[in-house]
Amino acid sequence: MTDNQTVQAYTEAWTHSIESISELVAPLPEGSWNRATECPGWSVRDIVSHVIAVESELLGDPRPIHSLPRDLRHVTTEFARYIELPVDKRRCHTALEMTSELEYTIIRRSRALRNAKQAPDEPVRWSAGPLAGNVPYHELLRMRAFDVWVHEQDLRRALETPGNLAAPGALITRDSLLERLPKAVAHNAGAPAGTALVVDVTGPVEFLRTVRVDAAGRGTVDESISLAPDVQLTMDWETYVRLACGRGRPGPVTVEGDKELADRVLANFAVTI
């Protein structure tokens, strides 16, 4: 694809996922907004609040004035506090307030994306928080498509409404997570030099990848088949996403080969912040 086609693909994936979230939560009664999700400390309302907050910030809206409680156990870093503030601000909002703000945010953000003049590689600021920095415009769009699809799935599991596991955002998520897999294996799990680890994923999004650790301890990932890997992990697509995004260890995961190394890899599989 050309750079402009890539931007369009990311925009369409974001649109598909965020509109799916809107459709999913629109009919929810008040009680369902308080359902817990797999995101530590966050309810359905909190995830929707987070999505609204990030898109609003990208629109240039000022952050809410709010004092964040100090006793939130799931908030352990300055970045987490930054993310939590607009979420906590909306914890008293009603279902109607939430759905109305989400719909209005989608309308505004969609218009901004249609009218955007940035070139695909033009540096743009992606956050004003502790991890703020500049990224190419196309990378910002990819990050948003990834984040919104993952949170759509968080909501679907909490609400027991599965769907869109093979949506456009799923393929963007697959590629984003696979880019981070070598570090999880080589650095975080401490796989020794010469290790070959195969991940075989089945289901709506299927793929097989081999992570190899070179003599310097650096990991790479490719599509080649290793005939005698040190470890092979087999799981379905939803399990892969939940593990890689830090949503606990849902299983089932079939392990072949070095079980001790496999356990270390699975314990360090999460690659999102």
Side-chain angles (χ1 to χ4, degrees):
M1 291 191 294
T2 66
D3 288 345
N4 286 330
Q5 286 173 326
T6 298
V7 165
Q8 184 63 26
Y10 292 160
T11 302
E12 289 175 357
W14 172 88
T15 300
H16 184 275
S17 293
I18 202 165
E19 289 184 349
S20 295
I21 288 176
S22 183
E23 293 171 6
L24 183 65
V25 301
L28 292 181
E30 288 286 348
S32 294
W33 286 84
N34 295 322
R35 284 198 192 185
T37 73
E38 290 181 339
C39 290
W42 278 9
S43 65
V44 168
R45 175 185 284 100
D46 296 338
I47 286 183
V48 176
S49 295
H50 168 66
V51 171
I52 292 171
V54 175
E55 301 302 337
S56 297
E57 186 168 319
L58 291 172
L59 285 164
D61 293 354
R63 281 173 59 80
I65 298 173
H66 180 66
S67 295
L68 190 65
R70 292 282 178 177
D71 60 350
L72 299 175
R73 294 182 180 179
H74 60 284
V75 178
T76 57
T77 66
E78 282 305 307
F79 180 72
R81 289 187 63 80
Y82 185 88
I83 293 296
E84 190 76 15
L85 189 145
V87 171
D88 190 69
K89 172 72 172 178
R90 291 178 173 85
R91 286 196 166 113
C92 61
H93 287 197
T94 66
L96 179 58
E97 288 172 323
M98 294 298 301
T99 55
S100 298
E101 187 178 14
L102 177 61
E103 290 170 6
Y104 183 51
T105 302
I106 293 172
I107 291 170
R108 294 175 61 216
R109 185 75 174 121
S110 298
R111 184 186 301 122
L113 290 170
R114 286 195 303 271
N115 296 334
K117 305 300 183 185
Q118 291 94 337
D121 290 326
E122 182 177 339
V124 294
R125 195 165 183 82
W126 76 274
S127 171
L131 299 184
N134 293 331
V135 296
Y137 180 60
H138 71 86
E139 180 62 21
L140 172 66
L141 296 181
R142 184 171 84 142
M143 291 163 61
R144 293 311 306 138
F146 165 50
D147 188 58
V148 173
W149 182 83
V150 169
H151 285 313
E152 177 195 345
Q153 294 305 313
D154 288 329
L155 293 171
R156 288 187 177 280
R157 288 192 298 275
L159 296 169
E160 300 178 351
T161 310
N164 289 344
L165 279 168
L171 303 182
I172 293 168
T173 297
R174 174 200 62 193
D175 294 343
S176 297
L177 294 176
L178 282 171
E179 286 178 5
R180 309 175 196 188
L181 182 59
K183 181 179 178 181
V185 173
H187 182 266
N188 298 349
T195 294
L197 179 142
V198 170
V199 176
D200 186 3
V201 174
T202 63
V205 176
E206 293 185 339
F207 56 89
L208 187 148
R209 297 291 189 275
T210 301
V211 176
R212 304 177 194 278
V213 183
D214 66 17
R218 292 185 296 265
T220 58
V221 62
D222 59 56
E223 298 182 36
S224 63
I225 298 174
S226 178
L227 297 180
D230 298 279
V231 175
Q232 178 163 324
L233 304 175
T234 303
M235 66 192 83
D236 65 29
W237 167 233
E238 188 172 16
T239 296
Y240 183 90
V241 171
R242 293 168 76 183
L243 282 170
C245 294
R247 302 317 193 243
R249 183 170 178 175
V253 178
T254 301
V255 174
E256 299 178 51
D258 186 335
K259 187 176 185 306
E260 181 182 353
L261 177 57
D263 287 343
R264 291 208 313 272
V265 170
L266 289 170
N268 291 276
F269 211 81
V271 294
T272 57
I273 295 173

